[in-house]
Amino acid sequence: MGRGEAALVKLMSPLAMVVVAATVLCCVLGFVLAKQADDYFESAHRQALRDAVAALQAASPDLGEVDPKLIRILESASGLKGLRLAEEPPPDAREVQSLIDSKGRIVGWFTWEPERPATAMITQLLPFGGLIALGLFGFAVLAMWQLRRLDWLLAESTRQVQKLAYEDPVTGLPNMHRMRDFIEQSLAKRRPNEVVGVALIDLGGFDEMKEAIGDAAEDEVLTEIANRLRHEVPKGALVARLRGDKFGLVMRAADADAALAVVQATRDAVSRAIWVDQVLQVSANAGLAIAPRDGDVREDLVRRADLALRGAQRRGRGLVMQFSIDMEGDFDERRFIKRELSRALATRSFELHYQPIVRADGAAIVGVESLLRWKHPSRGYIAPGLFVRVAEDAGLMDQLGAFVLRRALDDAKRWPGLYVTVNLSPVQVRDRRFVDLVRDVLAETKTDPSRVVLEITEGVLIDDPLTAKARLEDLRRLGVQLALDDFGAGYSSLSYLQQLPFDKLKIDRGFVAALDHSANTGVIIQAIVTLGRALGMSVLIEGVETEEQRVLLRLAGCNEMQGFLFAKPAPADEIDRLLAAGDTLLPAAVKAAG
């Protein structure tokens, strides 16, 4: 019911009561007036009868005998109905008046039927008036009941609106609006020896889990996580669900270390396995800002907690980070790069450099690795490790990845005897449309798929192994080759090599750097090479900078190498020059010795 209807109901109720009161008043007033009118006419009739009797007495003092015709004359003259003369007063309800002779003796009684027409008419109308009054009264009562019901509905609606405005409908936790208010209250109530901690918690791997369990189970998982968070936080703290898989935590604590311990406990609680028809595992990253150290205004604390969360997400899973002042500079830098990145994509300001990949003996170039470069007009070259992450976060990786793939395959036409490698971002591997992109670009450039090597890091496999496996199998069916990049740098798992269709194993450059001071490194490299070959993969190692390293790695059994010993990354024209020279890439001293 709207406000206009509510106002109408409120107005109708008192109006109905006024009408009821007016109806009752009119009925009473009408009855009184009718009775007065009837009394007046009856008095007039009696007076007319007395006057007629007086005239009769004057003409005939002896009233012992009265002619009936005379009585009819008196009836007509007085206006009394059914006038009779009786010796005794009647026992019924007829009106009476005594007849007295000249000696003062009662010689009879005049009787007549009482007539009160006005009172009779009002009496007949009273039931109808009563019904009208009763109907109006009932209407008023109904209107008042409806008004009370309306007030209850409005109050209930207000409660529901407030609940929706301040409470998450799935978990029952407070939402962002309530959290913001709570931060203000906590800052206002903070004692001089206390701190206020504001933490943002983000679930890792939640999107992939949703695809596996469905929407209904998703709500069950979120509810379980919410219950765990409620249980872990101290009394007086607030846990809120902000959006999707993001939660917030606000607390007053003795110091920053105590606040950090609470956040770490919530991280650990979230990371425990969850049973929803199957065992599910999610991780949590958290960012923490402390008042007054990191600010004493709500907006600053939330923004800085978010900066700390972003820092934790960039460094891995399951991390808790406190805000530090250098994060502000990093945030400004990333914001600048995001803005300039969009412009660079629109103007195609990127270029590709290529680093040769050589046979282990250094005698010939067998392939090139495409490396994205961005030279900003005012900042110069910006490191790919920085702007690629910004592109992933900003949703620009699909455009950037498509540019790299097309440019690399276009340039590959210049080197028909070489293969070209292209590095893939985790975002590209998770995108179902990427397989279609590769198919289309291969057709557009008329490139032999066997000359294309797509490099995937282990991080892609760890984040979502099922999706990665399906996507790699789709790519493999196109005829391209697949390489596992940076093997040994992270959480290397032999199951990846066994289950996934890789053609090439690329050993991380960190092993090359360790050759000079670790005797075991050569043994490890040799074991990796043996494993790769046993699984039918060629083995490439990067980061080769000295001849001693090349010799050791060749003895370890590596098939291919790349590094500054042979050539630095350079534009495509430099690759043209090297191929045209037709010479090996080994240093001159090595050639002379050979």
Side-chain angles (χ1 to χ4, degrees):
M1 185 178 292
R3 293 184 177 180
E5 294 172 325
L8 180 61
V9 170
K10 289 183 178 180
L11 182 63
M12 289 173 62
S13 179
L15 283 178
M17 296 302 294
V18 169
V19 172
V20 170
T23 302
V24 172
L25 181 62
C26 288
C27 289
V28 172
L29 183 61
F31 186 81
V32 171
L33 292 176
K35 185 175 183 303
Q36 289 178 348
D38 286 341
D39 290 344
Y40 172 77
F41 286 117
E42 184 178 349
S43 175
H45 290 160
R46 286 178 179 273
Q47 185 61 43
L49 179 62
R50 285 193 293 270
D51 292 342
V53 171
L56 182 61
Q57 285 179 332
S60 177
D62 186 10
L63 295 177
E65 295 285 342
V66 178
D67 188 356
K69 294 181 179 180
L70 184 59
I71 294 176
R72 301 282 77 80
I73 294 173
L74 290 176
E75 179 182 32
S76 176
S78 63
L80 297 176
K81 182 180 178 181
L83 183 65
R84 299 176 188 172
L85 180 63
E87 294 180 356
E88 298 291 338
D92 54 16
R94 291 171 63 87
E95 296 288 337
V96 297
Q97 180 173 317
S98 60
L99 178 62
I100 302 174
D101 60 10
S102 58
K103 296 180 180 181
R105 293 176 299 179
I106 297 176
V107 295
W109 300 85
F110 281 112
T111 68
W112 65 91
E113 297 177 3
E115 277 191 304
R116 304 182 67 82
T119 303
M121 182 185 66
I122 292 297
T123 302
Q124 291 176 352
L125 292 177
L126 274 180
F128 297 101
L131 289 175
I132 293 173
L134 184 62
L136 290 173
F137 180 76
F139 176 78
V141 171
L142 180 63
M144 292 179 67
W145 175 82
Q146 183 67 14
L147 181 59
R148 287 179 176 272
R149 180 175 175 272
L150 174 63
D151 288 340
W152 181 85
L153 289 175
L154 289 175
E156 185 65 20
S157 298
T158 302
R159 285 193 294 270
Q160 290 296 327
V161 169
Q162 291 177 344
K163 183 176 181 179
L164 291 175
Y166 289 97
E167 183 178 302
D168 173 60
V170 175
T171 63
L173 291 176
N175 60 13
M176 173 60 88
H177 299 295
R178 179 70 185 96
M179 177 177 164
R180 290 180 180 276
D181 292 345
F182 192 79
I183 294 174
E184 296 281 7
Q185 297 168 12
S186 299
L187 290 173
K189 295 177 180 178
R190 183 183 71 84
R191 298 188 183 94
N193 61 339
E194 284 184 332
V195 300
V196 174
V198 177
L200 299 180
I201 304 167
D202 184 76
L203 306 182
F206 192 75
D207 291 338
E208 295 80 8
M209 184 190 68
K210 285 196 299 184
E211 294 182 1
I213 64 177
D215 293 339
E218 173 194 348
D219 291 347
E220 190 174 344
V221 170
L222 288 171
T223 302
E224 171 62 22
I225 291 173
N227 292 335
R228 292 183 182 185
L229 292 174
R230 285 191 189 97
H231 178 73
E232 289 296 332
V233 300
K235 184 179 180 180
L238 177 135
V239 177
R241 184 190 179 201
L242 308 184
R243 56 173 175 76
D245 56 354
K246 195 170 185 178
F247 293 82
L249 171 60
V250 183
M251 77 198 97
R252 288 158 59 193
D255 52 37
D257 290 339
L260 179 62
V262 172
V263 178
Q264 290 172 335
T266 59
R267 182 269 317 272
D268 295 340
V270 170
S271 301
R272 295 198 302 268
I274 300 173
W275 173 259
V276 180
D277 296 331
Q278 58 182 305
V279 177
L280 303 173
Q281 192 81 43
V282 296
S283 61
N285 289 95
L288 174 64
I290 299 293
R293 183 189 68 190
D294 301 327
D296 54 7
V297 178
R298 180 191 68 190
E299 288 77 10
D300 289 343
L301 291 170
V302 173
R303 180 173 60 84
R304 288 169 177 171
D306 187 59
L307 289 177
L309 173 61
R310 291 170 184 265
Q313 290 172 326
R314 287 194 296 272
R315 285 164 175 79
R317 285 193 172 187
L319 300 179
V320 176
M321 292 193 66
Q322 296 189 69
F323 171 80
S324 60
I325 195 63
D326 60 306
M327 292 179 180
E328 291 277 14
D330 181 61
F331 174 75
D332 293 338
E333 175 77 359
R334 292 173 66 85
R335 183 168 55 183
F336 167 80
I337 290 175
K338 179 180 178 181
R339 182 177 65 248
E340 296 299 306
L341 192 60
S342 299
R343 296 177 182 174
L345 279 168
T347 58
R348 293 294 189 268
S349 301
F350 297 96
E351 59 186 52
L352 286 188
H353 285 191
Y354 298 90
Q355 186 173 28
I357 299 170
V358 302
R359 289 205 312 257
D361 59 6
I365 301 175
V366 295
V368 290
E369 180 180 8
S370 60
L371 301 167
L372 184 61
R373 296 291 183 262
W374 177 23
K375 188 175 183 180
H376 189 269
S378 62
R379 298 283 294 275
Y381 281 107
I382 299 177
L386 181 56
F387 70 77
V388 168
R389 284 187 175 274
V390 174
E392 291 174 343
D393 293 341
L396 300 173
M397 198 60 224
D398 55 342
Q399 301 177 50
L400 195 59
F403 166 80
V404 172
L405 185 64
R406 281 195 169 87
R407 176 65 61 82
L409 269 58
D410 275 335
D411 288 343
K413 297 175 185 178
R414 304 160 67 165
W415 316 307
L418 307 183
Y419 67 81
V420 60
T421 71
V422 178
N423 294 285
L424 300 187
S425 161
V427 175
Q428 292 174 282
V429 177
R430 287 194 290 266
D431 190 349
R432 295 184 178 90
R433 299 170 298 177
F434 180 68
V435 177
D436 297 330
L437 173 67
V438 174
R439 181 187 298 109
D440 294 343
V441 175
L442 286 171
E444 291 170 12
T445 59
K446 296 180 173 58
T447 304
D448 182 356
S450 64
R451 295 180 56 218
V452 179
V453 179
L454 302 179
E455 296 187 359
I456 298 97
T457 62
E458 292 175 306
V460 178
L461 310 177
I462 296 170
D463 288 343
D464 187 3
L466 295 178
T467 299
K469 185 175 187 297
R471 205 74 72 242
L472 294 181
E473 289 174 346
D474 290 341
L475 290 170
R476 185 67 179 277
R477 280 191 282 270
L478 297 179
V480 300
Q481 298 187 64
L482 302 175
L484 180 58
D485 194 10
D486 296 335
F487 185 80
Y491 301 96
S492 300
S493 174
L494 299 182
S495 63
Y496 299 149
L497 301 180
Q498 183 181 6
Q499 298 175 14
L500 300 177
F502 290 112
D503 302 281
K504 192 180 293 291
L505 187 63
K506 193 170 184 179
I507 302 175
D508 184 68
R509 68 178 64 245
F511 288 102
V512 179
L515 275 175
D516 298 333
H517 55 267
S518 174
N520 293 329
T521 302
V523 177
I524 296 174
I525 293 175
Q526 187 170 6
I528 295 175
V529 171
T530 302
L531 175 64
R533 287 185 170 181
L535 293 173
M537 295 182 282
S538 65
V539 180
L540 165 65
I541 191 161
E542 57 185 346
V544 182
E545 298 184 358
T546 68
E547 175 60 16
E548 291 78 12
Q549 291 172 347
R550 184 190 73 83
V551 172
L552 289 173
L553 293 170
R554 184 182 180 187
L555 293 174
C558 294
N559 303 97
E560 299 168 350
M561 303 179 190
Q562 70 181 101
F564 288 175
L565 175 66
F566 311 107
K568 293 182 179 180
D573 292 342
E574 178 64 17
I575 303 299
D576 293 339
R577 189 193 66 77
L578 291 173
L579 292 174
D583 202 357
T584 68
L585 297 181
L586 293 176
V590 177
K591 296 176 188 177

